[in-house]
Amino acid sequence: MLEETQKSLAIANAKDDESKKLLNQQQQLQLESMKRVKELEDRLKELPAPKESWWKRIFG
């Protein structure tokens, strides 16, 4: 009985470690994505504004 409990506990700990690892990986990817969005927004601000609205160029 004790051996089975220890095995179950070891499995639970391994799953917990894997969950923490995946959560950390997800948070890292989210942080990188947020940085990338910020970079793109900053680059977009640097571009010159169009002279006409997009709808005026399309529909005249």
Side-chain angles (χ1 to χ4, degrees):
M1 181 71 179
L2 181 60
E3 191 174 308
E4 289 176 18
T5 304
Q6 289 175 335
K7 284 181 183 178
S8 295
L9 188 57
I11 291 170
N13 284 339
K15 287 181 179 178
D16 189 42
D17 289 345
E18 184 66 20
S19 294
K20 287 178 184 176
K21 181 180 171 185
L22 289 172
L23 181 61
N24 189 23
Q25 189 177 27
Q26 180 185 11
Q27 289 172 337
Q28 192 68 30
L29 287 171
Q30 187 176 14
L31 186 61
E32 289 173 17
S33 297
M34 289 168 55
K35 286 180 183 178
R36 182 70 177 139
V37 167
K38 177 88 171 98
E39 287 174 14
L40 292 173
E41 287 176 340
D42 290 344
R43 285 179 55 192
L44 186 61
K45 289 176 187 174
E46 293 171 3
L47 293 174
K51 294 179 182 167
E52 295 180 28
S53 298
W54 63 270
W55 57 271
K56 281 187 179 178
R57 282 183 269 161
I58 294 173
F59 300 112

